[in-house]
Amino acid sequence: GGEEFGQARCHRRVQADGRLYLQREFDHERRLAARLKEAARPAGGLDAAMTARLAELFAANVSADGAPDWQRAAAALALRQRLAVVSGGPGTGKTTTVVALLACLLAADPGCRIALAAPTGKAAARLTDAIRQRAASLPADIQARLPQEASTVHRLLRAGPEGFFHDATRPLALDALIVDEASMLDLALARRLLDAVPPGARIVLLGDKDQLAAVESGAVFAELSADPSLTPDCRAELAAACGVAPEALQPPPSRAAVLPDTVIWFTRNFRFAADSGIGRLATLVNGGRGDEALAWLRAGGDASVRWHDEAGREPGEAVRAAIAAGVAPYVQALRADPQDAAAVTRAFERFRVLCATRDGGRGVAAVNQQLGTLLRQALGQPAGPWFVGRPVMVRRNDYVLKLFNGDIGITLPDAAGELAVVFPAPGGGWRRIAPARLPPHDTAFGMTVHQSQGSEFEQVLLLLPERPSRVLTRELLYTGLTRARDAVAVAGPAEVLAAAIRSPTRRRSGLAARLHETPTT
């Protein structure tokens, strides 16, 4: 059967478990499940050379109390299996683990073809920088063979107006694929990406199961991460590689096994301790402990976390002052030298206003209008759509300009005073694009929490709406808080904050059910 939506016919399918699908979405889910089950198999045993290399790479992680090193275990799992899923919050050591894994793969096979990818340009750039920093301690020959750049998933698959070039019939030429921020992968993109990976290649998915899922349909990473179970044989092999007893690698309890020997959770945070301000608040939010979170915020016991308990359709004076203080270093950098794209970009990345909604007095549009006015006045610029320092976020892929949804550039003058939007160039340097050539875009002083995924800022001001909203969930709050590295301020009424902590996201995805099914051949 079918229903007409405009001129498109969308076929429906009702499964025995009560889920109603569009046929296209059901096909995506079924094909992705089959590909995941195909990938979730051993790649070979961990030999003595690999075990010795892991011990050397993770020597600094040895705990005095004999606690297991889950980073080392995750690297060992990714060497043992063709599919590995590593879930952990910001600062839990996912990139450190990947660098060690890459070193092991390249030491075992110097010609190993490795691709690094992430769903957005910002996340890809962060992965590139993080791997470069953490690889500094590796031997020079290994460093020289490391992938030099992470790409977006769309660029990796060679997206174009007609779709993706790479698919199951034209697979990627690689032996291992590492995908960061995999929680942002929607169902369709995840299926197309894994379809394009050769059957014998390793796949490593990194992300945070507690973050927001993709904007489009599906909760792929959250469903895959829900089952960290290890079979006795796998646990024994990982324990031998990590120098601990098998009982030490007993994973947390989870629901019924879907893809055993595939998932590891990281819970120890190396960026901020669980009892630090951001870490403690994120833990309370993630655990649904709203009363404790509010009591702790009211006590104001940590300088890295501030709460502006305010109501009103627009931000109050204290919040407006905090926003102005946050962008002050950016204004100063523009005054000092507006042609120094590197310095201006560094200043811009220090602080961001994150909003739960786009519209209303406490949404992204209002924040961008306020800060646009503030910046024009501070720099003495006339009113108009284009001005020095205006940051823009691309909203639609442009394959000719090689600009993609989520890319951020800053409007800066050249030596003659001509304005252009400056974007980081792949591999380093800068690209200047005339404003008239840009694809659809928005001003980006502030952004929604969804748009901030894959980003990290020194300071964040999280602006909540005046009343509870269906879009304001526990995962959105957690994601916004954990974009901050050093300090976070939350602005919104107590009842709104409490309602968000009480409201976990529920997606009716059926990927786990499809994984339990025998794939159709």
Side-chain angles (χ1 to χ4, degrees), residues 358 386 390 392-399 401 403-408 423 435-443 451:
R358 294 187 62 84
W386 292 102
R390 180 193 175 192
V392 298
M393 176 184 290
V394 174
R395 302 300 303 140
R396 185 182 301 165
N397 296 339
D398 187 312
Y399 302 103
L401 293 176
L403 292 176
F404 299 94
N405 185 16
D407 287 352
I408 292 179
F423 292 88
R437 297 187 64 200
L438 288 178
H441 54 272
D442 294 328
T443 302
Q451 292 169 332

Side-chain angles (χ1 to χ4, degrees), residues 235-251:
R235 188 159 60 247
E237 195 167 350
L238 297 187
C242 294
V244 297
E247 303 79 52
L249 292 180
Q250 184 65 40

Side-chain angles (χ1 to χ4, degrees), residues 222-229 252-258 265 509 511-513 516:
E223 290 219 76
L224 291 180
S225 303
D227 171 31
S229 61
S254 65
R255 65 193 192 191
V258 177
W265 293 351
S509 172
L511 181 59
H516 280 296

Side-chain angles (χ1 to χ4, degrees), residues 82-166:
R82 295 208 179 278
L83 173 65
V85 179
V86 180
S87 175
T92 52
K94 298 189 294 293
T95 307
T96 301
T97 303
V98 166
V99 170
L101 171 63
L102 297 179
C104 288
L105 291 174
L106 290 169
D109 177 11
C112 185
R113 300 167 299 174
I114 302 168
L116 307 175
T120 67
K122 177 61 68 177
R126 281 191 59 220
L127 178 60
T128 300
D129 292 342
I131 287 180
R132 187 178 295 121
Q133 292 169 10
R134 287 165 176 78
S137 60
L138 296 178
D141 61 324
I142 296 292
Q143 289 188 49
R145 293 197 295 270
L146 286 172
Q148 296 303 303
E149 182 188 0
S151 71
T152 63
V153 172
H154 283 76
R155 184 152 31 105
L156 179 70
L157 297 179
R158 289 176 57 184
E162 304 302 319
F164 297 111
F165 175 82
H166 288 293

Side-chain angles (χ1 to χ4, degrees), residues 337-411:
D337 186 355
Q339 295 179 42
D340 188 345
V344 169
T345 299
R346 284 195 301 270
F348 179 67
E349 292 299 324
R350 290 180 58 184
F351 171 79
R352 194 71 84 249
V353 180
L354 303 182
C355 302
T357 59
R358 294 187 62 84
D359 300 322
R362 304 175 71 86
V364 170
V367 167
N368 283 327
Q369 183 177 19
Q370 173 197 340
L371 287 176
T373 301
L374 183 152
L375 186 62
R376 282 195 300 266
Q377 291 175 348
L379 300 179
Q381 299 183 82
W386 292 102
F387 50 92
V388 173
R390 180 193 175 192
V392 298
M393 176 184 290
V394 174
R395 302 300 303 140
R396 185 182 301 165
N397 296 339
D398 187 312
Y399 302 103
V400 175
L401 293 176
K402 292 182 170 52
L403 292 176
F404 299 94
N405 185 16
D407 287 352
I408 292 179
I410 300 176
T411 309

Side-chain angles (χ1 to χ4, degrees), residues 45 127 234 270 303 378 434 501:
L127 178 60
C234 180
F270 297 91
I501 297 173

